[in-house]
Amino acid sequence: MWEGDARLRSQTEVLSERRGSYPFIDFRLLNNTVYSGEIGTKKKVKRLLSFQRYFHASKQLRGIIPQASLYLLDEDYLGQARHMLSKVGMWDFDIFLFDRLTNGNSLVTLLCHLFNVHGLIHHFHLDMVTLHRFLVMVQEDYHSQNPYHNAVHAADVTQAIHCYLKEPKLASFLTPLDIMLGLLAAAAHDVDHPGVNQPFLIKTKHHLASLYQNVSVLENHHWRSTVGMLRESRLLAHLPKEERHDIEQQLGSLILATDINRQNEFLTQLKSHLKNQDLNLEEAPDRHFMLQIALKCADICNPCRLWEMSKQWSERVCEEFYRQGDLEKKFDLEISPLCNQQKDTIPSIQIGFMTYIVEPLFEEWANFTGNTPLSENMLNHLRRNKAKWRSLLHKQHSSSRSTDHSVQVTENEEQTLNEGETP
C-alpha cells in the first residue's frame, strides 16, 4: 500500500473543501453574494473546482472565450522558446526567460514537450488535446499573485526533476509510469497554494487545517486538487480503474513527501539506505522512494542554481514570507518565524535554509548519484551562493554598525551643542 493510501472522499466532499479554500485570501470575494449564489448552482454540476479555477471554468461553461489566448506569440518568440526546449536538460536553463517567451505559459509548454520527449503520450495512449486541457487547468490553479508559489515555480521544479530523472544511477531503472508520476507530481505539487504556510492555516482555524487534522495540510490539498483535475479532465479515463487509483495514490505519496516538516524523516531514511547499500531500484517501492527524494530535491533546488536565478527565487520566497507577516500583523496574530521583514533579512534566511535544509539533502543526493557532473555542479553553486549571501550579510551588519555609530555621534554632538561647546 502506497503512503497516504486512504480512500478518496466523495466528489461532494472535495467540492466542499474547494468551496471553503482560503477564505482569507480575498475578503471581497467572500462578501460577494452573487458569487456565493453561483457556487450553489455549480454544486449541482459534479465538477471539482477550486476557488481560483471557478472563474475560468464558469466563463467556459457559458461559452465565453477568454480574452487572452494561450499562445499569442510571434514567430521570433516561438523560435526562441523552441530553442530553449532543445536545452531543457541543462542545469542553467532560465525558467524566467522561458516563461516570458511563452507568454506566461511555461508550465503547459514545458510539460507538453517533456511528455512527448519521454514517449509518455504514445505509451499511455494519451489524447493530446485532453493532456493540454489538463495542464492548462493545473497552470491556472496556481495563484499568479504569489511571488514564489506560482506556476513558474512549478515549471522550475518540473525542469529540475527532468534533469534528475536523467541521472544514470536512476534513469536505467525508471519505467514510463515512474517518469509520468515524477513529472505530474512536480507540476502539481503546489497547486492552489494560498501564499501562506501551514502554521498560519492552523492558528487561523482554517477549514483545511481542520479537514486534514493539522497534518500536511497544504500538501494534502495540493494532492486532492490534482486528483480532482485528473478526474475532471478525464486524462486517464481510458485506463483501468485499478491503474487510475494506483496513479492517484502514488501522486499523493510523492506530493506529501514535499512537506518540509518531514525533511529529517526522509533524510534519515536516505542515509540509512546508502549506508546499508540496500536500495534495489529494480523494486518498485525503492524506485518510488528515490522519486520522493528527487522531488524533494527539485522543490528546494533554488540555492543550487546560478546566482542570478537563485537570487531571484530567494527574493521571491522572502517577499511571500513578509506578506504573510504583514497579514499576521494586520490581524493581531503572532508573526511567524522568517516573516518579520524588520528582523528576518533575506541573507540570514537563505544562509539558514542552505545550512540546515539544502546542504544535508543534496550531499546525500550526490552520494546516491555517485558525484555526477550535475551533482557536483549543484553543490558548487550552493557553496558559491552561500558565500555570496554571507558577504551580503556581513555588509548589512557593517552598515548597521556604521549607522548606529553615526547616530551615537549625532547624539553626542547635540549634547555638546546644548552645553554650549563646539563639537
Side-chain angles (χ1 to χ4, degrees):
M1 181 184 296
W2 296 108
E3 175 189 346
D5 189 12
R7 180 177 299 174
L8 292 174
R9 301 188 314 285
S10 66
Q11 290 188 354
T12 302
E13 287 176 304
V14 177
L15 180 59
S16 175
E17 169 196 322
R18 284 172 171 247
R19 191 172 62 229
S21 295
Y22 316 123
F24 50 84
I25 294 301
D26 192 339
F27 293 100
R28 291 171 299 177
L29 291 182
L30 292 180
N31 296 326
N32 190 325
T33 55
V34 175
Y35 173 77
S36 300
E38 288 185 349
I39 282 186
T41 62
K42 292 307 171 194
K43 187 176 181 181
K44 299 176 183 178
V45 184
K46 293 182 178 179
R47 295 176 60 85
L48 308 177
L49 299 176
S50 72
F51 247 34
Q52 189 179 28
R53 200 171 73 252
Y54 172 81
F55 294 106
H56 300 286
S58 61
K59 290 180 180 179
Q60 293 169 0
L61 288 173
R62 297 197 303 270
I64 301 175
I65 301 175
Q67 292 182 352
S69 60
L70 279 175
Y71 295 101
L72 295 177
L73 301 174
D74 60 33
E75 193 59 34
D76 183 49
Y77 276 76
L78 287 171
Q80 292 181 61
R82 281 194 293 266
H83 177 70
M84 287 194 70
L85 283 175
S86 69
K87 299 182 178 181
V88 72
M90 305 295 290
W91 190 245
D92 61 355
F93 189 87
D94 188 340
I95 198 65
F96 296 113
L97 174 59
F98 186 69
D99 192 63
R100 292 194 295 273
L101 292 175
T102 56
N103 197 30
N105 293 285
S106 54
L107 186 59
V108 172
T109 309
L110 181 64
L111 261 296
C112 284
H113 175 75
L114 292 179
F115 264 65
N116 186 50
V117 165
H118 288 286
L120 301 177
I121 298 171
H122 174 75
H123 182 86
F124 290 100
H125 306 289
L126 301 177
D127 178 74
M128 193 64 199
V129 174
T130 305
L131 173 63
H132 186 271
R133 182 167 63 245
F134 166 73
L135 295 176
V136 169
M137 290 166 66
V138 172
Q139 181 174 272
E140 290 184 346
D141 231 13
Y142 278 93
H143 299 197
S144 59
Q145 68 269 26
N146 289 346
Y148 184 84
H149 289 104
N150 52 43
V152 184
H153 166 65
D156 185 61
V157 173
T158 302
Q159 189 272 336
I161 204 165
H162 168 65
C163 294
Y164 299 160
L165 297 182
K166 297 198 310 175
E167 287 284 49
K169 186 71 175 290
L170 195 57
S172 58
F173 295 98
L174 293 176
T175 66
L177 178 58
D178 294 327
I179 295 171
M180 183 172 75
L181 285 168
L183 294 176
L184 286 178
H189 79 285
D190 272 332
V191 75
D192 204 26
H193 196 294
V196 293
N197 60 20
Q198 175 173 290
F200 185 94
L201 298 180
I202 292 173
K203 66 185 176 184
T204 55
K205 294 179 171 50
H206 191 271
H207 168 71
L208 291 180
S210 175
L211 181 64
Y212 297 117
Q213 300 180 323
N214 299 342
V215 178
S216 299
V217 176
L218 287 169
E219 291 74 23
N220 269 298
H221 179 61
H222 303 324
W223 168 33
R224 302 296 187 176
S225 298
T226 304
V227 170
M229 287 183 283
L230 276 173
R231 293 180 177 183
E232 183 182 344
S233 68
R234 299 184 60 78
L235 176 65
L236 306 176
H238 60 289
L239 299 179
K241 182 178 179 180
E242 295 76 13
E243 188 172 350
R244 295 199 306 270
H245 179 75
D246 180 60
I247 289 173
E248 290 174 356
Q249 296 305 311
Q250 291 199 57
L251 278 175
S253 178
L254 289 170
I255 293 173
L256 288 173
T258 62
D259 185 349
I260 201 69
N261 293 315
R262 302 180 63 192
Q263 189 76 3
N264 287 335
E265 170 194 339
F266 280 96
L267 187 59
T268 300
Q269 289 184 49
L270 179 58
K271 287 181 177 179
S272 176
H273 281 307
L274 295 178
K275 180 180 178 180
N276 298 327
Q277 298 183 343
D278 57 3
L279 277 173
N280 181 4
L281 296 180
E282 293 181 350
E283 298 292 332
D286 284 359
R287 289 200 307 276
H288 185 79
F289 173 73
M290 288 314 304
L291 279 179
Q292 290 176 312
I293 296 297
L295 182 58
K296 289 181 69 63
C297 287
D299 191 27
I300 62 170
C301 73
N302 301 149
C304 302
R305 297 283 192 179
L306 290 168
W307 170 250
E308 291 75 14
M309 286 184 284
S310 179
K311 183 171 180 288
Q312 283 191 65
W313 285 121
S314 298
E315 292 168 346
R316 284 168 175 258
V317 74
C318 289
E319 172 61 24
E320 198 165 293
F321 290 162
Y322 298 151
R323 287 187 184 184
Q324 176 177 322
D326 292 342
L327 195 59
E328 290 167 330
K329 184 177 180 181
K330 178 180 179 181
F331 292 103
D332 295 322
L333 299 170
E334 181 182 356
I335 298 180
S336 299
L338 311 182
C339 296
N340 190 330
Q341 191 167 6
Q342 275 62 52
K343 296 181 180 179
D344 305 308
T345 66
I346 297 178
S348 63
I349 292 173
Q350 291 306 306
I351 291 169
F353 180 57
M354 292 177 175
T355 302
Y356 299 108
I357 302 295
V358 182
E359 279 181 342
L361 182 61
F362 276 86
E363 286 171 356
E364 295 305 322
W365 175 259
N367 289 336
F368 165 73
T369 62
N371 296 306
T372 59
L374 174 58
S375 292
E376 289 292 334
N377 191 22
M378 290 192 297
L379 286 174
N380 287 335
H381 284 315
L382 176 60
R383 291 162 186 147
R384 284 194 290 266
N385 292 340
K386 186 177 178 180
K388 290 189 177 183
W389 284 121
R390 286 192 184 281
S391 176
L392 289 173
L393 184 63
H394 177 72
K395 290 179 180 178
Q396 283 185 353
H397 287 168
S398 299
S399 175
S400 177
R401 285 194 296 269
S402 175
T403 301
D404 291 343
H405 177 69
S406 298
V407 170
Q408 184 63 45
V409 169
T410 302
E411 290 175 347
N412 291 339
E413 289 175 347
E414 183 177 359
Q415 182 180 0
T416 301
L417 288 172
N418 288 337
E419 294 174 351
E421 299 179 7
T422 303

